[in-house]
Amino acid sequence: MDIFEEIKVKGFADEYIDPSLDLFAEIEKLKKEKNAVILAHYYQEGDIQDIADYIGDSLGLSQQAAKTDADIIVFAGVHFMAETAKILSPNKKVLLPDLKAGCSLADSCPPHLFKKFKENYPDHLVITYVNCTAELKALSDIVCTSSNAVQIVESLPKEQKIIFGPDRNLGAWVAKKTGRDLVLWNGACMVHEIFSREKITKLKERYPNAKILAHPECEEVILQLADYIGSTTGILKYATNSPNKEFIVATEAGILHQMQKDNPDKTFIPAPPNNTCACNDCPHMKRNTLEKLYLCLKNEMPEIEVPAHIIEKAVKPIERMLEISASLGL
């Protein structure tokens, strides 16, 4: 099996790596040689966050992808994030350590079905959450993130009718915060849907002084328990600025790495999911490893490609998001 076939089947080039190799040093060397930059989402494993040039949430990563002068962008995240980087930097080579690092939320909104759904509301403006495919972005008027969704909706005239997709939980939270009547697509993230209200309540009994921090992709029953609701960046900032010393965190457990690094004197407890796992990991995010990141930079593959006609349509709602965000100082 050649390397292209292997990537197609496995999602990455499964080469032997000498166990004595210092992967951190090798990745740093390759970055300089190839003028590459590594962007990593907060949900990546700790080693990947530590080697990254930029760590952030979807909005921060989108902004960084748009302004980097590197020749190669290695996106340590999931497929839709790398697609977004390619849309914003079509002339750069964009790499993803594992091609099969997908997203349950993006998968919950097939573009051909959303197109039919959209046709039922011809007078509605379409806002899609950045956690969606390039094809879905191409069907949108504005893209948003959990950091700016509320502000983007509020920036539009009150009489403007809006379809919001694909995340129904984020959409419902935005509707509640803005008082707007949004038409919601019925999609969701597997990671944020699995938290257990009962287990979080019991955990709170053990840590009565802990603040509960939740991502707006969580279900309403979880958000009702939260002391703070916000994006990964918002959650991180809240924990850093708060005088509290204990926090129960209801989002993907990868964020705890950065929270602990920034606040070594504080305690962060992952909110328990409704399964047998100790914490809530995204299996797609965790497909990326330091080894795969090294091989992807070494071989310059898997490479993310987005058709030119999709880029042409998808870049407009992303640029509109970035313009609105900049005008609002986000």
Side-chain angles (χ1 to χ4, degrees):
M1 193 188 298
D2 68 17
I3 191 167
F4 295 101
E5 191 62 30
E6 190 170 46
I7 286 170
K8 196 187 287 186
V9 173
K10 293 186 174 180
F12 62 98
D14 195 8
E15 287 178 35
Y16 170 77
I17 299 174
D18 184 340
S20 66
L21 199 66
D22 183 342
L23 289 177
F24 282 91
E26 289 299 315
I27 290 168
E28 288 293 348
K29 192 169 92 178
L30 286 168
K31 274 192 334 193
K32 285 175 186 148
E33 282 173 13
K34 296 172 184 274
N35 188 28
V37 65
I38 298 172
L39 310 182
H41 194 273
Y42 285 128
Y43 295 166
Q44 292 296 292
E45 63 174 50
D47 282 348
I48 291 177
Q49 291 189 45
D50 291 342
I51 196 73
D53 299 290
Y54 183 85
I55 313 155
D57 62 5
S58 295
L59 176 60
L61 295 171
S62 298
Q63 290 166 325
Q64 198 66 22
K67 68 186 182 188
T68 181
D69 59 0
D71 296 315
I72 295 174
I73 298 171
V74 182
F75 215 116
V78 291
H79 203 278
F80 77 80
M81 294 180 180
E83 280 186 339
T84 305
K86 185 66 179 176
I87 291 163
L88 291 169
S89 305
N91 299 321
K92 297 185 190 303
K93 185 176 275 192
V94 178
L95 308 175
L96 183 67
D98 190 325
L99 212 49
K100 294 193 176 181
C103 171
S104 58
L105 176 55
D107 291 345
S108 74
C109 190
H112 67 286
L113 295 181
F114 187 82
K115 189 179 180 187
K116 287 183 181 176
F117 178 76
K118 177 183 168 181
E119 284 166 3
N120 295 325
Y121 304 94
D123 55 346
H124 285 54
L125 186 129
V126 177
I127 299 178
T128 51
Y129 186 31
V130 72
N131 298 31
C132 66
T133 62
E135 289 90 346
L136 201 71
K137 291 178 176 74
L139 293 169
S140 310
D141 296 295
I142 311 175
V143 166
C144 74
T145 72
S146 52
S147 299
N148 61 20
V150 167
Q151 293 91 329
I152 281 177
V153 168
E154 286 178 337
S155 75
L156 300 171
K158 284 192 176 169
E159 63 274 11
Q160 176 63 61
K161 295 175 181 177
I162 298 168
I163 294 172
F164 189 97
D167 192 294
R168 63 174 178 261
N169 294 322
L170 175 62
W173 178 73
V174 170
K176 189 176 178 182
K177 291 280 283 184
T178 60
R180 305 286 279 267
D181 185 20
L182 308 179
V183 174
L184 305 180
W185 174 266
N186 190 26
C189 163
M190 62 185 281
V191 172
H192 291 95
E193 285 254 293
I194 205 171
F195 289 113
S196 165
R197 181 184 173 92
E198 184 187 355
K199 288 182 183 178
I200 293 172
T201 304
K202 284 181 180 173
L203 193 61
K204 177 73 173 174
E205 287 171 10
R206 282 173 54 202
Y207 298 93
N209 297 321
K211 294 282 186 187
I212 297 174
L213 315 181
H215 194 284
E217 286 181 42
C218 293
E219 293 180 313
E220 171 65 17
V221 290
I222 303 300
L223 297 182
Q224 286 170 1
L225 300 173
D227 297 290
Y228 173 81
I229 301 165
S231 67
T232 44
T233 295
I235 286 171
L236 189 58
K237 282 182 182 169
Y238 182 91
T240 299
N241 295 332
S242 170
N244 261 63
K245 295 294 182 185
E246 293 177 337
F247 302 89
I248 295 166
V249 185
T251 189
E252 211 276 352
I255 186 69
L256 271 69
H257 176 74
Q258 208 59 39
M259 295 176 95
Q260 203 66 71
K261 269 180 81 173
D262 290 356
N263 304 279
D265 60 328
K266 295 182 180 181
T267 302
F268 299 99
I269 308 133
N274 197 14
N275 59 23
T276 55
C277 299
C279 62
N280 215 35
D281 286 326
C282 171
H284 300 290
M285 283 281 186
K286 297 305 192 280
R287 287 189 75 96
N288 297 317
T289 63
L290 200 62
E291 289 78 11
K292 288 178 186 176
L293 194 152
Y294 161 70
L295 290 173
C296 127
L297 191 48
K298 174 176 168 268
N299 297 316
E300 296 187 21
M301 60 178 74
E303 184 177 357
I304 297 298
E305 297 283 4
V306 180
H309 70 282
I310 295 291
I311 287 179
E312 191 181 345
K313 289 179 181 174
V315 74
K316 291 171 185 172
I318 298 172
E319 284 177 341
R320 194 157 174 204
M321 169 188 78
L322 294 173
E323 285 163 12
I324 294 169
S325 296
S327 70
L328 296 172
L330 301 174

